[in-house]
Amino acid sequence: MVFSSFLPSIILPALLSAVGVEAHGIASAIVIDSTFYDGYNPSYQWKNPPPTVVGWSVPDDLQNTFISPDKFSTPDMVCHLGAKPAGAAAPVKGGDIIEVQWTPWPASHKGPVLDYLAKCNGPCETADKTKLNFFKIGEAGWIDKASDLWAANVLTNNNNSWLVRIPEDIAPGNYVLRHEIIALHAAGNANGAQAYPFCFNLAIDSKGTANPAGIPATQFYKANDPGIKFDLFSHPTAYVIPGPALYSGALPVSQTKPGPITATATGVYAFTAAAHVRAAVTTPVAAVAAAPTTLVVAARAASPAVPQATPAL
C-alpha cells in the first residue's frame, strides 16, 4: 500500500517535467460567462478517482505531441491521440462566447486556429467519435503579413487563450466543440504540418432550429492541401485556411485578453431541457481557494454511478 501511494508522487512530477520540455501545448480548460470548466490533462489518469471534466481525455498524449498529415484519416484526428468522451458537459447558450485556455504555446509555432461543432444526437459522454460530423464555426489564419502575425500568435499574446462564439441559430442539444491549432513551422516538408485538436462537451441551450450538415474530422484535410503543405520560410504571399467552408451561421468574435474568472464548475450531464442548461454547480473563486474540492454536478435522474449536484464545502 505504501508503494502504490508513493509511486504517483514520483511519476507525476517526472511526467509533467517531460511534458514541459516538449514546449508544445494542450487546450486545458474553457471559460464561459466567467465560469471556469476544467479540461483534461494526461496526468489525470494517475489520479484515483480521476476528476470529472468537460474535456475529452487524451491519456496517450504524454508528450504534448501532434497529429501528422499521414494520420489525418485516422480516428486520432477527431479529438487527439486515443481520445475518449468527457464525463460532463459545459452549459452554454447560443450566441455565448467561449474562452479556450491553453498551456503556453510557443511563438515559433505559427499557424491557423480553427473551431468546429458536432451534434451528438444523445449524450456526448457516450458518443462514438467516428460518427461525429463537424461543421466549422470559426477560423483565422495569417492575420497580418507585414508583421507575420498568425492566429496562433494572437492566441499566445492573449494569455494563451482563444475566443469562439456559439452560433445563435443552431438547435439546442449536446455538441462536441473541436478546437484546433495547426502548426506550420515544419510544414514546408512532406508530412511536416502539426495538428493539435482538442475536444470539449457542450450542452447548448438555444432558440434556434438549424441542424447544419457536417463531415467527419478524418475528411477535413489532405496532406497536400495548400494550407497544410505550406512553407513559412519561402516568402509566401497568401495563405489558404484548410478544411471545410465556414458555416453560414458562424458569428464573429474579437480576440481579446480574457477577463477575470469568478466561479468554477464541473458541468452537467448532457442537455435535457433549457431549465437544466444553467444548472451547473458554480463556486465563487474566493470559496475555491478555501475549499478546492467542489465540482460534482449532474442534470439527469439520480443514479449510484452519477453524483448529484453538491454545493461547495
Side-chain angles (χ1 to χ4, degrees), residues 89-90 92 118-122 124 170-176 201-206 208 211 270-272 277:
V92 63
K119 196 170 187 181
C120 294
N121 297 313
C124 293
I170 60 173
N174 304 306
Y175 291 78
V176 173
N201 286 355
L202 303 178
I204 298 179
D205 184 13
S206 172
N211 286 288
F271 175 92
T272 54
V277 168

CSV table of all heavy atoms in Angstrom, one decimal, residues 89-90 92 118-122 124 170-176 201-206 208 211 270-272 277:
chain,number,residue,atom,x,y,z
A,89,ALA,N,-20.5,18.0,-19.4
A,89,ALA,CA,-20.6,19.0,-20.5
A,89,ALA,C,-20.8,20.4,-19.9
A,89,ALA,O,-21.4,20.5,-18.8
A,89,ALA,CB,-21.8,18.7,-21.4
A,90,ALA,N,-20.2,21.4,-20.5
A,90,ALA,CA,-20.3,22.7,-20.1
A,90,ALA,C,-21.6,23.3,-20.6
A,90,ALA,O,-21.8,23.3,-21.8
A,90,ALA,CB,-19.1,23.5,-20.5
A,92,VAL,N,-24.0,26.2,-22.1
A,92,VAL,CA,-23.7,27.4,-22.8
A,92,VAL,C,-25.0,27.7,-23.6
A,92,VAL,O,-25.8,26.8,-24.0
A,92,VAL,CB,-22.5,27.2,-23.7
A,92,VAL,CG1,-22.7,26.1,-24.7
A,92,VAL,CG2,-22.1,28.5,-24.3
A,118,ALA,N,-20.0,19.5,-33.5
A,118,ALA,CA,-20.7,18.3,-34.0
A,118,ALA,C,-21.8,18.0,-33.0
A,118,ALA,O,-21.5,18.0,-31.8
A,118,ALA,CB,-19.7,17.2,-34.1
A,119,LYS,N,-23.0,17.8,-33.5
A,119,LYS,CA,-24.1,17.4,-32.6
A,119,LYS,C,-24.0,15.9,-32.3
A,119,LYS,O,-23.7,15.1,-33.2
A,119,LYS,CB,-25.4,17.7,-33.3
A,119,LYS,CG,-26.6,17.7,-32.3
A,119,LYS,CD,-27.8,18.3,-32.9
A,119,LYS,CE,-28.9,18.4,-31.9
A,119,LYS,NZ,-30.2,19.0,-32.5
A,120,CYS,N,-24.2,15.5,-31.0
A,120,CYS,CA,-24.0,14.2,-30.6
A,120,CYS,C,-25.2,13.3,-30.8
A,120,CYS,O,-25.1,12.1,-30.8
A,120,CYS,CB,-23.6,14.1,-29.2
A,120,CYS,SG,-21.9,14.8,-28.9
A,121,ASN,N,-26.4,13.9,-31.0
A,121,ASN,CA,-27.7,13.2,-31.1
A,121,ASN,C,-27.8,12.2,-29.9
A,121,ASN,O,-28.1,11.0,-30.1
A,121,ASN,CB,-27.7,12.4,-32.4
A,121,ASN,CG,-27.7,13.4,-33.6
A,121,ASN,OD1,-28.5,14.3,-33.6
A,121,ASN,ND2,-26.9,13.1,-34.6
A,122,GLY,N,-27.6,12.7,-28.7
A,122,GLY,CA,-27.6,11.9,-27.5
A,122,GLY,C,-26.6,12.5,-26.6
A,122,GLY,O,-25.9,13.5,-26.9
A,124,CYS,N,-23.2,13.4,-25.2
A,124,CYS,CA,-21.8,13.4,-25.8
A,124,CYS,C,-20.9,12.5,-24.9
A,124,CYS,O,-19.8,12.1,-25.4
A,124,CYS,CB,-21.2,14.8,-25.9
A,124,CYS,SG,-22.1,15.8,-27.2
A,170,ILE,N,-28.4,27.5,-34.2
A,170,ILE,CA,-28.4,26.1,-34.2
A,170,ILE,C,-29.4,25.6,-33.1
A,170,ILE,O,-29.7,26.2,-32.1
A,170,ILE,CB,-27.0,25.5,-33.9
A,170,ILE,CG1,-26.5,26.0,-32.5
A,170,ILE,CG2,-26.1,25.9,-35.0
A,170,ILE,CD1,-25.2,25.4,-32.2
A,171,ALA,N,-29.9,24.4,-33.4
A,171,ALA,CA,-30.9,23.8,-32.4
A,171,ALA,C,-30.2,23.4,-31.1
A,171,ALA,O,-29.0,23.1,-31.1
A,171,ALA,CB,-31.5,22.5,-33.1
A,172,PRO,N,-31.0,23.5,-30.0
A,172,PRO,CA,-30.4,23.1,-28.7
A,172,PRO,C,-30.0,21.6,-28.7
A,172,PRO,O,-30.5,20.8,-29.5
A,172,PRO,CB,-31.5,23.4,-27.7
A,172,PRO,CG,-32.8,23.3,-28.5
A,172,PRO,CD,-32.4,23.8,-29.9
A,173,GLY,N,-29.1,21.3,-27.8
A,173,GLY,CA,-28.7,19.9,-27.7
A,173,GLY,C,-27.3,19.7,-27.2
A,173,GLY,O,-26.7,20.7,-26.8
A,174,ASN,N,-26.8,18.5,-27.4
A,174,ASN,CA,-25.4,18.1,-26.9
A,174,ASN,C,-24.5,18.2,-28.1
A,174,ASN,O,-24.7,17.6,-29.1
A,174,ASN,CB,-25.5,16.7,-26.3
A,174,ASN,CG,-26.5,16.6,-25.2
A,174,ASN,OD1,-26.4,17.4,-24.3
A,174,ASN,ND2,-27.4,15.7,-25.3
A,175,TYR,N,-23.4,18.9,-28.0
A,175,TYR,CA,-22.4,19.1,-29.0
A,175,TYR,C,-21.0,18.9,-28.5
A,175,TYR,O,-20.7,19.1,-27.3
A,175,TYR,CB,-22.5,20.5,-29.6
A,175,TYR,CG,-23.8,20.9,-30.3
A,175,TYR,CD1,-24.9,21.2,-29.7
A,175,TYR,CD2,-23.8,21.0,-31.7
A,175,TYR,CE1,-26.1,21.5,-30.4
A,175,TYR,CE2,-24.9,21.3,-32.4
A,175,TYR,CZ,-26.1,21.6,-31.8
A,175,TYR,OH,-27.2,21.9,-32.5
A,176,VAL,N,-20.1,18.5,-29.4
A,176,VAL,CA,-18.7,18.5,-29.2
A,176,VAL,C,-18.1,19.7,-29.8
A,176,VAL,O,-18.3,19.9,-31.0
A,176,VAL,CB,-18.0,17.2,-29.7
A,176,VAL,CG1,-16.5,17.3,-29.5
A,176,VAL,CG2,-18.6,16.0,-28.9
A,201,ASN,N,-17.1,18.8,-24.3
A,201,ASN,CA,-18.5,18.6,-24.4
A,201,ASN,C,-19.3,19.9,-24.0
A,201,ASN,O,-18.9,20.5,-23.0
A,201,ASN,CB,-19.0,17.5,-23.5
A,201,ASN,CG,-18.6,16.1,-24.0
A,201,ASN,OD1,-18.1,16.0,-25.1
A,201,ASN,ND2,-18.8,15.1,-23.1
A,202,LEU,N,-20.3,20.2,-24.8
A,202,LEU,CA,-21.1,21.4,-24.6
A,202,LEU,C,-22.6,20.9,-24.5
A,202,LEU,O,-23.0,20.1,-25.3
A,202,LEU,CB,-21.0,22.4,-25.6
A,202,LEU,CG,-19.6,23.0,-25.9
A,202,LEU,CD1,-19.6,24.0,-27.0
A,202,LEU,CD2,-19.0,23.7,-24.6
A,203,ALA,N,-23.4,21.5,-23.6
A,203,ALA,CA,-24.8,21.4,-23.6
A,203,ALA,C,-25.4,22.7,-23.9
A,203,ALA,O,-25.4,23.7,-23.2
A,203,ALA,CB,-25.3,21.0,-22.2
A,204,ILE,N,-25.8,22.9,-25.2
A,204,ILE,CA,-26.2,24.2,-25.7
A,204,ILE,C,-27.7,24.4,-25.6
A,204,ILE,O,-28.5,23.6,-26.1
A,204,ILE,CB,-25.7,24.3,-27.2
A,204,ILE,CG1,-24.2,24.2,-27.3
A,204,ILE,CG2,-26.2,25.6,-27.8
A,204,ILE,CD1,-23.6,24.2,-28.7
A,205,ASP,N,-28.0,25.5,-25.0
A,205,ASP,CA,-29.4,26.0,-24.9
A,205,ASP,C,-29.6,27.0,-26.0
A,205,ASP,O,-28.8,27.9,-26.1
A,205,ASP,CB,-29.7,26.5,-23.6
A,205,ASP,CG,-31.2,26.9,-23.4
A,205,ASP,OD1,-32.0,26.6,-24.2
A,205,ASP,OD2,-31.5,27.7,-22.4
A,206,SER,N,-30.6,26.9,-26.8
A,206,SER,CA,-30.7,27.8,-28.0
A,206,SER,C,-32.2,27.9,-28.4
A,206,SER,O,-33.0,26.9,-28.2
A,206,SER,CB,-29.9,27.3,-29.1
A,206,SER,OG,-30.1,28.1,-30.3
A,208,GLY,N,-32.7,28.4,-31.6
A,208,GLY,CA,-32.5,28.1,-33.0
A,208,GLY,C,-33.1,26.8,-33.3
A,208,GLY,O,-33.4,25.9,-32.5
A,211,ASN,N,-29.9,22.6,-38.0
A,211,ASN,CA,-29.0,21.4,-37.8
A,211,ASN,C,-28.0,21.3,-39.0
A,211,ASN,O,-28.3,20.6,-39.9
A,211,ASN,CB,-29.9,20.2,-37.7
A,211,ASN,CG,-30.6,20.1,-36.4
A,211,ASN,OD1,-30.1,19.8,-35.3
A,211,ASN,ND2,-32.0,20.3,-36.4
A,270,ALA,N,-25.1,16.2,-20.0
A,270,ALA,CA,-25.9,16.3,-21.2
A,270,ALA,C,-26.9,17.4,-21.1
A,270,ALA,O,-27.2,17.9,-20.1
A,270,ALA,CB,-26.5,14.9,-21.6
A,271,PHE,N,-27.6,17.6,-22.3
A,271,PHE,CA,-28.7,18.6,-22.3
A,271,PHE,C,-30.0,17.8,-22.3
A,271,PHE,O,-30.2,16.9,-23.0
A,271,PHE,CB,-28.6,19.3,-23.7
A,271,PHE,CG,-29.8,20.3,-23.9
A,271,PHE,CD1,-29.7,21.6,-23.5
A,271,PHE,CD2,-30.9,19.8,-24.5
A,271,PHE,CE1,-30.8,22.4,-23.7
A,271,PHE,CE2,-32.0,20.6,-24.7
A,271,PHE,CZ,-31.9,22.0,-24.3
A,272,THR,N,-30.9,18.2,-21.4
A,272,THR,CA,-32.2,17.6,-21.3
A,272,THR,C,-33.3,18.6,-21.5
A,272,THR,O,-34.3,18.3,-22.1
A,272,THR,CB,-32.4,16.9,-19.9
A,272,THR,OG1,-32.1,17.9,-18.9
A,272,THR,CG2,-31.4,15.8,-19.7
A,277,VAL,N,-29.8,23.7,-18.4
A,277,VAL,CA,-28.5,24.1,-19.0
A,277,VAL,C,-27.7,25.0,-18.1
A,277,VAL,O,-26.5,24.9,-18.1
A,277,VAL,CB,-28.8,24.8,-20.4
A,277,VAL,CG1,-27.6,25.4,-20.9
A,277,VAL,CG2,-29.2,23.7,-21.4
